[in-house]
Amino acid sequence: MLFYERSITAVLIIFKSLLYLRPLNRNKIVQHEFSIQVSPKTAADTTLLKQKIAKLNALQVNEITHVQVLKRSIDARQIAIKINLKVRVYINETFIDDPIQLPQYPEVSRANEVVIIGAGPAGLFAALRAIELGCKPIVLERGKDVRARRRDLKAITRDHLVNEDSNYCFGEGGAGTYSDGKLYTRSKKRGDVNRILKLLVGFGATGQIMVEAHPHIGTNKLPDIIAAMRNKIIAQGGKILFETRVTDIQIKDDAIVGVVTKSGDVIETNAVVLATGHSARDIYELLHRKQIHIEAKPFALGVRVEHSQELIDQIQYKCATRGPYLPPSPYSIVKQVKGRGMYSFCMCPGGVIAPCATSPGEVVTNGWSPSKRDQPTSNSGIVIELRPEDFKNFQQHGPLAGMYFQKSIEQKAWQLAGETQRVPAQRLIDMVGGKVSQDLPETSYKPGLTSIDMGTVFPSFLHQILQEGFKAFDQSMKGYLTNEAVVHAPESRTSSPVRIPRDRKTYEHVQIKGLYPSGEGAGYAGGIISAAIDGEKCVEACIRNIKLI
């Protein structure tokens, strides 16, 4: 029996060593990569981490000269929360940091030109890639530079004034600049995610975005990074023209020959990367009016819900307090309700809700977090997938039917909440029960709230799905359904309601030569990283197809 127990113990020890790491040979290997699972405290303390690695590998702590964390994620599935790390261990060797460097961008002031409409992620990364390939980008941005935008954002919050060209969606950096800066994407098959992350680090982002499973820059950090990108584009001979809205596209024989700006200027070109973002409704209307082929695209719409961050931490981490070694917890949840997908979108731990209308006469919500995610509240869009049949009352608008459905809800919410930037709001349990809230707590949404029954904001089928869906959410996240949580409406700009079709190989519009629809506005991306990748691919194709170099 003793022999049997010893045999079992030996097998378990061998299995554990194979599962977590391979033994280090200190005589032959000076550095080694492996995965390890540790406590949050150990992950946060270099000394404790070295001690853990030394113990598991029969090493002396002083033999480990450096531990480089390559990847980090949190495993909160069990009561004892663990941190998953992929590390590179240096043994008896001096660690020399190899900082990320930007590419050697050439001077392009006299090079062939490509026009890029929009200075969001797709447009800016397209411009940088054009320079890298030896072309001169001319970026036309309807909004203001990243600093000047701030005055217009304050005007929305304080004075309820919406500038159609400078707001949370329009201006240098696009919607991502002032809405959180999340950098994770499910679209890894579309391109090189690490390349985009490295470029962001090169322009000033922390190297931690290369490490974290769900990297995030923060709204307070992004403006400086965006400005650094702009300065590089200009320094290398590119142009960025702010407050330059494109109002027309000139076409001859189904090919681009120029663009016209709001001031009446004409820029002759046969190469245009269209990267205007998912809220540029005037561009969709322009294309439709000129009979340039566009298509309706499915999207999602719903509300934005705010909880205390402390409650979300308690639910997700299954403890009274998260302590000093864990970050504010996010959540991600998906349910099928009445045959529809209902899910969390753009969840912002330690964040706030912002007013994101792009025209007077509408209200729109979105969320963002600062880099430290240190606000006392968390919020998330909770949205429902929409289908073409949902837009039957707007069929006279053809491929723009979904856009007009979206717009109608934003305008109705504006009217119901008082025709300012206040938004319709309801306590969560009251909303599920169809009861108008008698009072509302102060939330992070600064323009203010108006107590409204959400059933008057949304079509009945959407309202019923939200009511049933929140009950289902509470089954997965006990405590989520509380009257301390507040529902804000609407969360409507999840993605473009329109797709601008393009050839899969050439990236060129299926009808108009020289037009390259790109990013979120064209319906081919869903966030900073995927938009940046798409912008690069479009400008590469543009340069290759038109042979600008």
Side-chain angles (χ1 to χ4, degrees):
M1 186 68 172
L2 183 61
F3 174 78
Y4 174 77
E5 290 175 349
R6 287 176 176 173
S7 298
I8 292 296
T9 301
V11 169
L12 290 174
I13 291 172
I14 293 170
F15 177 75
K16 183 178 180 180
S17 68
L18 290 173
L19 181 63
Y20 290 104
L21 52 96
R22 289 170 288 178
L24 305 181
N25 186 331
R26 73 188 74 181
N27 296 320
K28 294 182 179 180
I29 302 176
V30 292
Q31 55 178 288
H32 194 76
E33 291 183 16
F34 58 88
S35 297
I36 186 172
Q37 194 176 69
V38 298
S39 69
K41 183 177 181 180
T42 298
D45 189 313
T46 301
T47 300
L48 292 177
L49 184 57
K50 283 185 177 181
Q51 290 173 353
K52 178 75 170 180
I53 292 170
K55 183 177 180 180
L56 289 171
N57 291 279
L59 293 168
Q60 297 297 316
V61 173
N62 59 10
E63 292 181 284
I64 301 175
T65 52
H66 185 75
V67 177
Q68 183 181 11
V69 177
L70 304 175
K71 290 293 178 183
R72 175 170 43 231
S73 64
I74 299 173
D75 185 349
R77 293 173 295 179
Q78 307 299 323
I79 293 178
I81 297 170
K82 297 295 182 181
I83 307 297
N84 298 318
L85 299 176
K86 181 180 179 182
V87 297
R88 179 179 293 141
V89 179
Y90 291 75
I91 304 167
N92 295 322
E93 182 189 34
T94 301
F95 169 72
I96 300 175
D97 193 15
D98 184 17
I100 290 172
Q101 301 289 333
L102 289 173
Q104 293 296 314
Y105 292 109
E107 210 286 336
V108 295
S109 59
R110 297 174 182 267
N112 289 322
E113 298 175 349
V114 56
V115 171
I116 299 167
I117 304 176
L124 287 175
F125 278 88
L128 288 166
R129 185 61 177 150
I131 293 173
E132 200 174 351
L133 295 174
C135 280
K136 177 181 178 178
I138 300 177
V139 182
L140 310 179
E141 169 54 51
R142 68 190 294 165
K144 300 177 182 178
D145 69 72
V146 74
R147 295 296 175 189
R149 284 177 75 183
R150 289 181 173 178
R151 290 189 291 272
D152 297 310
L153 303 187
K154 287 181 181 178
I156 298 175
T157 300
R158 184 186 59 220
D159 304 320
H160 302 257
L161 298 175
V162 179
N163 182 329
E164 288 186 310
D165 289 321
S166 180
N167 44 62
Y168 273 97
C169 291
F170 298 144
E172 186 179 24
T177 304
Y178 291 106
S179 39
D180 201 47
K182 292 181 179 67
L183 300 176
Y184 46 94
T185 177
R186 296 183 179 92
S187 305
K188 295 182 179 180
K189 292 182 180 179
R190 295 186 181 182
D192 189 349
V193 172
N194 278 339
R195 170 182 160 80
I196 303 301
L197 294 176
K198 286 179 180 178
L199 286 172
L200 287 167
V201 173
F203 283 108
T206 172
Q208 289 302 301
I209 66 173
M210 303 294 301
V211 174
E212 299 294 342
H214 294 92
H216 158 263
I217 292 179
T219 302
N220 55 320
K221 300 287 187 181
L222 269 167
D224 287 341
I225 295 168
I226 297 300
M229 295 171 72
R230 174 231 305 156
N231 291 336
K232 174 60 71 173
I233 291 168
I234 295 171
Q236 300 310 123
K239 283 187 178 181
I240 300 183
L241 304 178
F242 294 111
E243 299 183 73
T244 305
R245 188 204 290 198
V246 170
T247 56
D248 198 6
I249 298 172
Q250 294 185 331
I251 298 169
K252 183 178 180 180
D253 298 328
D254 287 336
I256 287 281
V257 294
V259 297
V260 182
T261 70
K262 187 177 181 180
S263 63
D265 294 331
V266 177
I267 300 173
E268 295 182 357
T269 180
N270 64 345
V272 171
V273 174
L274 188 64
T276 51
H278 61 41
S279 292
R281 290 170 171 167
D282 57 322
I283 292 294
Y284 301 140
E285 289 174 337
L286 169 66
L287 297 177
H288 188 47
R289 188 167 62 250
K290 295 181 77 71
Q291 297 183 335
I292 296 174
H293 186 52
I294 59 176
E295 301 169 347
K297 184 182 77 62
F299 66 104
L301 183 146
V303 296
R304 187 156 284 267
V305 180
E306 182 170 277
H307 290 79
S308 74
Q309 183 59 52
E310 183 180 26
L311 175 62
I312 297 302
D313 289 340
Q314 290 170 352
I315 294 172
Q316 295 296 87
Y317 290 144
K318 305 175 184 67
C319 56
T321 178
R322 71 171 185 268
Y325 304 112
L326 288 170
S329 177
Y331 64 84
S332 177
I333 191 164
V334 180
K335 295 291 181 181
Q336 283 291 316
V337 184
K338 296 181 178 292
R340 303 264 187 154
M342 175 170 159
Y343 57 93
S344 56
F345 169 82
C346 185
M347 196 274 152
C348 301
V352 300
I353 301 177
C356 293
T358 54
S359 293
E362 64 188 30
V363 291
V364 180
T365 65
N366 200 350
W368 58 265
S369 302
S371 57
K372 293 183 179 179
R373 290 179 163 170
D374 54 0
Q375 299 300 301
T377 52
S378 72
N379 66 82
S380 180
I382 306 298
V383 297
I384 298 163
E385 61 178 353
L386 298 177
R387 300 169 180 166
E389 58 264 31
D390 300 329
F391 316 138
K392 60 185 178 181
N393 293 334
F394 301 89
Q395 289 307 308
Q396 69 271 27
H397 299 291
L400 300 180
M403 186 187 84
Y404 276 90
F405 173 87
Q406 180 189 60
K407 190 175 183 178
S408 70
I409 289 178
E410 296 168 359
Q411 292 176 336
K412 188 174 186 180
W414 177 77
Q415 292 167 350
L416 290 170
E419 298 188 351
T420 66
Q421 283 302 298
R422 297 173 67 89
V423 294
Q426 199 169 7
R427 290 180 182 266
L428 184 53
I429 289 179
D430 289 347
M431 184 259 177
V432 170
K435 174 184 175 184
V436 176
S437 299
Q438 294 303 304
D439 58 30
L440 292 169
E442 183 179 352
T443 72
S444 65
Y445 185 82
K446 294 306 180 186
L449 313 175
T450 300
S451 182
I452 297 289
D453 180 358
M454 291 296 163
T456 64
V457 177
F458 298 102
S460 59
F461 79 95
L462 281 180
H463 185 234
Q464 291 169 14
I465 291 171
L466 286 168
Q467 289 176 308
E468 292 302 313
F470 281 123
K471 295 176 186 177
F473 275 30
D474 195 63
Q475 294 299 310
S476 297
M477 294 178 62
K478 291 294 184 183
Y480 186 94
L481 187 58
T482 169
N483 241 15
E484 296 306 305
V486 178
V487 180
H488 304 63
E491 167 70 66
S492 50
R493 307 288 179 91
T494 57
S495 66
S496 170
V498 174
R499 177 172 284 111
I500 307 173
R502 67 190 186 194
D503 184 272
R504 291 186 178 182
K505 292 182 179 179
T506 67
Y507 289 83
E508 199 168 36
H509 188 269
V510 294
Q511 175 190 358
I512 306 300
K513 295 293 183 184
L515 180 62
Y516 294 82
S518 180
E520 287 200 45
Y524 295 100
I528 292 174
I529 296 296
S530 58
I533 290 172
D534 199 63
E536 286 200 334
K537 285 189 171 184
C538 282
V539 83
E540 288 168 3
C542 174
I543 291 169
R544 181 174 62 247
N545 296 342
I546 301 180
K547 298 179 181 178
L548 294 174
I549 56 174

